[in-house]
Amino acid sequence: MQETKRCGGVCLKNGVIGSYDKRMSTDFRIKPKTAIQKSKTSSSPSSSSPDLAVKPRPRPSDKLNPKTIDPFGDHSRAPSAFSAIYSKGGIPCRLVHGSVKHKLQWECLPGTLPFDPLLITLAEGLRETKHPYTFVSKEGFKELLLVEGATEKAIPLLPRLVPVLKAALAHSNGEVFERGLNALIQLSAVVGPALNDHLKHLLTSLSKRLMDKKFKDQITVALQKLEQYGGKESIAIIKSKIPTYCSISS
């Protein structure tokens, strides 16, 4: 007669070890390795897909240590065309550092230079916010308008020049706005009443900034200069955009 004993879930029959429960043997089956790999691969997004790639989270230190922008680098985005042209040597003047103040050194006499497109390019630079672009554009624009025959050279450029000045006046940066305002006064002094036809496009930005106490006095002086250089015709244009303006002739 055969003797059967059970020991720890293993059947001992006449000293022979065997499985006593088919269900138990089924539960302990190991999945093939290939099946596990396939299931993981199907459940995880493809690493080769750019749309499903997980972007790294920004670190707190990124806010404390922002990257320095290299204006001469290949990957920097120029705020205007001026910085790119200046970096390539396309502006015929350079900044000279002085002990008291800076000045410009022109490669040739400014009076011999064509205003088109130099004056417009310098006006583009008024929107720059980095040194030396800010100084070169501001000073270059002023000095170019001081040359002999500037009136005849500047008037034909007004249709292209006014939108550029308008962009500077509408800029959110206060220093950019001030440079644009000073450039507008300088231009008005040179072209006189010829600016009146374009004046309404520039007054909208001045009207909005007039509510800011920081710029109120500067804008008031600018409006008075525009009236002075633009003549009586400019008064009606100014009042149409800024009804509270008080004429210097009244």
Side-chain angles (χ1 to χ4, degrees):
M1 183 174 179
Q2 294 180 346
E3 184 182 357
T4 303
K5 293 182 180 181
R6 294 184 181 273
C7 181
V10 178
C11 179
L12 301 177
K13 181 181 287 186
N14 291 334
V16 180
I17 301 175
S19 174
Y20 72 91
D21 194 341
K22 292 183 179 180
R23 180 178 57 83
M24 293 295 293
S25 64
T26 304
D27 293 342
F28 282 99
R29 286 180 184 173
I30 300 175
K31 292 183 178 180
K33 188 176 181 181
T34 54
I36 297 174
Q37 291 176 341
K38 287 181 180 180
S39 62
K40 288 184 178 180
T41 306
S42 60
S43 60
S44 61
S46 175
S47 59
S48 60
S49 176
D51 296 334
L52 299 178
V54 179
K55 296 182 180 179
R57 293 182 179 180
R59 298 173 299 177
S61 59
D62 292 340
K63 295 182 179 180
L64 300 175
N65 302 298
K67 294 181 179 180
T68 303
I69 298 176
D70 178 12
F72 298 97
D74 295 334
H75 302 287
S76 62
R77 183 179 64 177
S80 73
F82 181 82
S83 60
I85 296 174
Y86 183 84
S87 300
K88 295 177 181 179
I91 307 296
C93 61
R94 285 292 179 269
L95 171 65
V96 177
H97 294 274
S99 57
V100 180
K101 63 179 182 178
H102 303 322
K103 65 178 182 178
L104 288 183
Q105 180 178 354
W106 295 85
E107 296 176 0
C108 54
L109 295 175
T112 62
L113 297 171
F115 273 35
D116 188 6
L118 182 57
L119 187 64
I120 298 173
T121 304
L122 290 169
E124 284 275 3
L126 297 172
R127 285 185 286 150
E128 295 288 347
T129 56
K130 293 184 177 297
H131 184 78
Y133 306 142
T134 52
F135 180 83
V136 173
S137 59
K138 176 187 67 175
E139 193 66 21
F141 187 87
K142 181 179 73 173
E143 291 186 14
L144 201 60
L145 287 177
L146 292 177
V147 303
E148 186 177 355
T151 301
E152 294 76 14
K153 295 179 180 180
I155 288 179
L157 300 179
L158 287 178
R160 296 158 56 197
L161 195 56
V162 167
V164 178
L165 288 179
K166 181 181 178 180
L169 293 171
H171 203 281
S172 58
N173 187 296
E175 293 181 357
V176 173
F177 170 77
E178 290 178 332
R179 287 194 291 271
L181 189 63
N182 290 330
L184 174 60
I185 296 172
Q186 295 159 7
L187 181 65
S188 178
V190 172
V191 300
L195 186 62
N196 289 341
D197 293 337
H198 310 275
L199 201 55
K200 60 181 180 179
H201 301 294
L202 301 167
L203 292 173
T204 302
S205 299
L206 300 187
S207 177
K208 293 178 180 179
R209 295 273 188 169
L210 196 58
M211 304 300 293
D212 190 338
K213 294 181 180 180
K214 180 181 178 181
F215 303 109
K216 185 175 181 180
D217 292 340
Q218 297 179 59
I219 294 174
T220 300
V221 172
L223 293 174
Q224 291 172 348
K225 293 293 184 182
L226 292 174
E227 179 188 348
Q228 176 184 345
Y229 300 132
K232 294 182 179 180
E233 182 185 348
S234 64
I235 300 176
I237 301 173
I238 296 173
K239 283 185 171 292
S240 66
K241 293 293 183 179
I242 307 176
T244 57
Y245 172 70
C246 296
S247 172
I248 56 178
S249 60
S250 59

